[in-house]
Amino acid sequence: MTEDEILLGLALTVVLATGSQILAHRLRVPALVVLLPVGFAVGALTDVIHPDKLLGPDFSAVVSLSVAVILYDAGLGLDLRKLARRNRGVVGRLLLYGVLLTFLAVGAVAPAMFGMDLRVAAMLGVILVVSGPTVVGPLLDFVRPSERVRRILIWEGTLTDPIGGILGALTFHAVISSQVSLGGGYQVGQFFLSLAVGLAGGAVGITLLWFTLRTLRLGETMGTLAQLAIVIGVSAGCDIVRDDTGLIAAIVAGLAVANIRGFDIPARRPFFETLVQLIIGLLFISISSTVTPSSVVPVLLPALGLIALLVLVVRPLVAFGAATRTDLSRGERAFLGWMDPRGIVAASTASAFSAGLVQRGLTGATKILPVTFLVIVGTVLLYALTAAPVARRLGVVKATGTRVLLVGGEPWVVDLGRVLRSAGLDVLMWAGGEEERERIRETGLALAEGELLATAVDPGARLEGVTAVFLATEDDDFNALASIVMQDSVDGPVYRVGPPHDSHGVVAPYTGGDILFGRSLVRHVLAERYARGDRFTVRPATGPLPPEHETLFVVRADHRLEPFTERRESAPRDGDALVLLGPAPTGVPGASSPA
């Protein structure tokens, strides 16, 4: 290719990767649903984005390092404290049974279905054992199942990727070697040797990360660059020593940063997450462009049969065995059996290993990549279209409504939390001072644990289940700053009470989230009115407002909470309720009492 063609190919790959993900976001579907067909179509129309033309034999090395970065980022999202002991056995059995049953089932049927050599079928079976957080995560974000089911599936999807990568490398070397038989004790030893190399690399990575993030105290930009360099360097070193052991090192390093208390700075930053999204897009566009229509058509029908086997037989059996003798409900067990899409590691390992088998002339090796491509597309489409209705039918979807995190501990804030709870909302509170925290405990409201910044600000620790945050502390600067930082930590909007109009703080009132209740009901005004005897009340939305009352929130019939803000006033409808602030005559139902 000429220099101009290479330049065009690289630019087009980036544009397609980004544009496809934007379109998927707008359509609210997993990015793979758009990335794979786009890459396939453009690859069929032109070879300008074909990775073998752009990067040549170096493409497999780029894929390996890219997947290591993805897995490191996935490890950052795995907090061991959130994986309850009762879930660890389920995750372990899902991994064990999933790998064994998938490998055996695919290895048994692939020779007959696709006319493959048994060794090639074994390679395909290992490739298809993986799932992946890049596919499972977006699907679960859309479906919103119970927290327990979500955590089990995220852990399974993340941990199965390095396992599949290692097994893929071992199987590949066993297939191309005439001296080693599959399944022997030698291979078990090789597996544990690879595991040891990966763990050692992970230990080196943890040490370097500790030095750069803790000892040197690098800032946000340099800290992010240091993480990226360390992950790539350590993963590359491990892969040089032992193929695909860099995946283990990467996920071990990510798990350490997420779980060792010494790493008390935010680990995931917008730049890093953006980089990971870009890498995913580039890989899928590039890999899918190598799949040609002429290679897909001959294997289309048998691939559909393989998908049916994996979805309808293998996965339900795996889930049934993993959930036996657990306290998972019948619906939760069934949903675990209906969620096993394939993702980026399956595509990358198929791309990396199939070329070597093709070069050695093994029968059916050319079918590995198109079959894997069809399984990825088929499983992602199937689960994307059916997961939400299946979850609703099984009763494992989170209850609709708003889970409020109310930050602050003044009497009026605690009383507001109590009134919101009386309106049927799920309210979680947090405050920094022990006196304020004790005041919250006395009301019986749920109290979030943790330190001030770690709990309320750290974007690396996602606030599970929280759909709206209301910042109402006495520190206006904290409210403004936290409203900016917490945007990436919550599945919903972040609001703050307004500062005094003459405020000249470090941050407030010039930036931050949307202002609650507008500019008239700022923080000190709310506190003063509460001290004078005004109280919060809940009333049906029908009928006129009582005199001297102001509307703060609309509580929808489905328990969604919509606040009145500086930018928006929500119109109440029949069946809604209003949270008001005003004088509280004796005997009015729903009026709150002093905290």
Side-chain angles (χ1 to χ4, degrees):
M1 297 180 71
T2 66
E3 182 177 345
D4 289 342
E5 288 176 328
I6 293 175
L7 186 62
L8 174 62
L10 293 174
L12 184 59
T13 303
V14 173
V15 170
L16 291 174
T18 305
S20 297
Q21 293 189 83
I22 292 173
L23 178 59
H25 176 72
R26 297 292 296 177
L27 296 176
R28 297 189 65 190
V29 297
L32 265 68
V33 174
V34 180
L35 285 167
L36 290 177
V38 167
F40 176 74
V42 176
L45 295 173
T46 176
D47 62 355
V48 72
I49 67 168
H50 200 288
D52 289 341
K53 299 290 183 64
L54 295 175
L55 300 175
D58 299 328
F59 179 61
S60 61
V62 172
V63 170
S64 179
L65 295 179
S66 299
V67 174
V69 173
I70 293 171
L71 290 183
Y72 172 75
D73 181 70
L76 293 177
L78 298 179
D79 189 341
L80 289 170
R81 294 179 291 272
K82 295 179 180 178
L83 183 64
R85 186 179 300 275
R86 60 179 182 165
N87 294 337
R88 295 173 189 172
V90 179
V91 173
R93 289 189 293 273
L94 283 173
L95 292 171
L96 177 61
Y97 300 160
V99 168
L100 289 177
L101 288 181
T102 302
F103 172 75
L104 293 175
V106 175
V109 302
M113 279 186 165
F114 304 105
M116 290 180 171
D117 185 288
L118 182 60
R119 293 170 293 175
V120 176
M123 188 75 251
L124 179 62
V126 170
I127 290 171
L128 294 181
V129 303
V130 300
S131 178
T134 59
V135 188
V136 175
L139 281 174
L140 297 180
D141 288 341
F142 177 70
V143 176
R144 296 183 63 81
S146 65
E147 287 300 326
R148 185 178 185 188
V149 169
R150 174 184 171 81
R151 290 172 183 169
I152 289 172
L153 288 171
I154 288 292
W155 275 87
E156 179 203 9
T158 302
L159 295 178
T160 193
D161 277 356
I163 293 173
I166 296 168
L167 292 176
L170 292 177
T171 303
F172 176 76
H173 290 300
V175 167
I176 64 175
S177 173
S178 59
Q179 300 174 346
V180 181
S181 61
L182 284 173
Y186 175 83
Q187 289 301 310
V188 175
Q190 293 299 301
F191 174 81
F192 284 105
L193 179 59
S194 295
L195 185 62
V197 171
L199 291 175
V204 173
I206 294 167
T207 303
L208 293 173
L209 287 166
W210 182 273
F211 176 72
T212 54
L213 300 181
R214 288 284 297 162
T215 305
L216 298 182
R217 295 287 183 180
L218 298 178
E220 175 180 336
T221 302
M222 290 297 102
T224 301
L225 291 176
Q227 290 180 76
L228 184 62
I230 290 169
V231 171
I232 290 177
V234 169
S235 298
C238 289
D239 285 343
I240 292 171
V241 174
R242 190 86 180 164
D243 286 344
D244 284 318
T245 54
L247 301 182
I248 302 177
I251 199 168
V252 167
L255 282 167
V257 174
N259 291 278
I260 296 177
R261 293 188 180 277
F263 290 105
D264 57 357
I265 66 172
R268 304 175 80 187
R269 288 294 188 179
F271 171 76
F272 201 89
E273 296 186 9
T274 301
L275 176 64
V276 170
Q277 287 300 115
L278 178 61
I279 289 173
I280 291 171
L282 294 175
L283 287 181
F284 274 119
I285 289 292
S286 299
I287 292 172
S288 59
S289 70
T290 65
V291 181
T292 63
S294 60
S295 66
V296 168
V297 172
V299 298
L300 179 58
L301 289 179
L304 293 177
L306 180 61
I307 293 170
L309 174 68
L310 294 173
V311 170
L312 301 177
V313 179
V314 174
R315 181 60 182 185
L317 286 175
V318 170
F320 175 79
T324 300
R325 297 181 181 178
T326 68
D327 59 349
L328 287 166
S329 69
R330 182 176 298 179
E332 289 172 331
R333 298 182 188 195
F335 189 74
L336 290 179
W338 193 254
M339 185 56 60
D340 192 26
R342 271 56 178 181
I344 185 62
V345 174
S348 62
T349 52
S351 175
F353 296 136
S354 63
L357 299 182
V358 170
Q359 291 175 358
R360 286 163 177 78
L362 293 178
T363 304
T366 57
K367 299 177 182 178
I368 289 179
L369 188 56
V371 171
T372 303
F373 174 82
L374 289 172
V375 171
I376 293 173
V377 173
T379 55
V380 170
L381 281 176
L382 177 64
Y383 292 128
L385 294 173
T386 63
V390 167
R392 287 194 296 268
R393 183 68 179 268
L394 296 173
V396 297
V397 179
K398 285 182 184 176
T400 59
T402 301
R403 189 184 196 206
V404 175
L405 173 60
L406 187 56
V407 181
E410 292 187 79
W412 72 268
V413 180
V414 178
D415 202 31
L416 176 60
R418 181 166 52 186
V419 170
L420 292 176
R421 183 182 61 181
S422 72
L425 297 167
D426 183 5
V427 180
L428 175 67
M429 292 200 67
W430 182 89
E434 186 55 39
E435 181 181 346
E436 294 176 330
R437 296 175 71 84
E438 185 59 33
R439 184 181 295 130
I440 294 169
R441 293 188 188 98
E442 290 174 355
T443 66
L445 289 164
L447 179 63
E449 299 297 332
E451 299 299 326
L452 182 68
L453 296 178
T455 301
V457 180
D458 182 3
R462 197 157 187 84
L463 298 168
E464 298 288 350
V466 173
T467 57
V469 176
F470 301 133
L471 295 155
T473 73
E474 296 179 279
D475 189 334
D476 296 315
D477 281 319
F478 172 80
N479 294 336
L481 181 62
S483 67
I484 298 171
V485 180
M486 291 184 70
Q487 293 291 346
D488 292 329
S489 302
V490 182
D491 293 323
V494 178
Y495 305 96
R496 65 185 176 113
V497 293
H501 299 303
D502 58 352
S503 172
H504 297 286
V506 177
V507 180
Y510 305 106
T511 187
D514 200 0
I515 302 296
L516 283 171
F517 321 135
R519 289 291 179 180
S520 60
L521 289 175
V522 294
R523 175 184 55 78
H524 72 286
V525 172
L526 289 163
E528 290 172 0
R529 288 185 57 171
Y530 187 83
R532 291 199 306 264
D534 281 7
R535 292 294 178 263
F536 304 104
T537 58
V538 181
R539 295 175 55 92
T542 56
L545 289 181
E548 302 180 35
H549 280 68
E550 297 181 71
T551 304
L552 305 183
F553 300 95
V554 175
V555 183
R556 298 299 184 189
D558 59 359
H559 294 103
R560 287 182 298 110
L561 184 65
E562 296 183 5
F564 275 53
T565 72
E566 187 178 35
R567 304 172 188 169
R568 183 185 68 180
E569 291 188 4
S570 300
R573 300 186 291 265
D574 290 343
D576 294 344
L578 303 178
V579 178
L580 309 176
L581 174 65
T586 304
V588 175
S592 62
S593 58

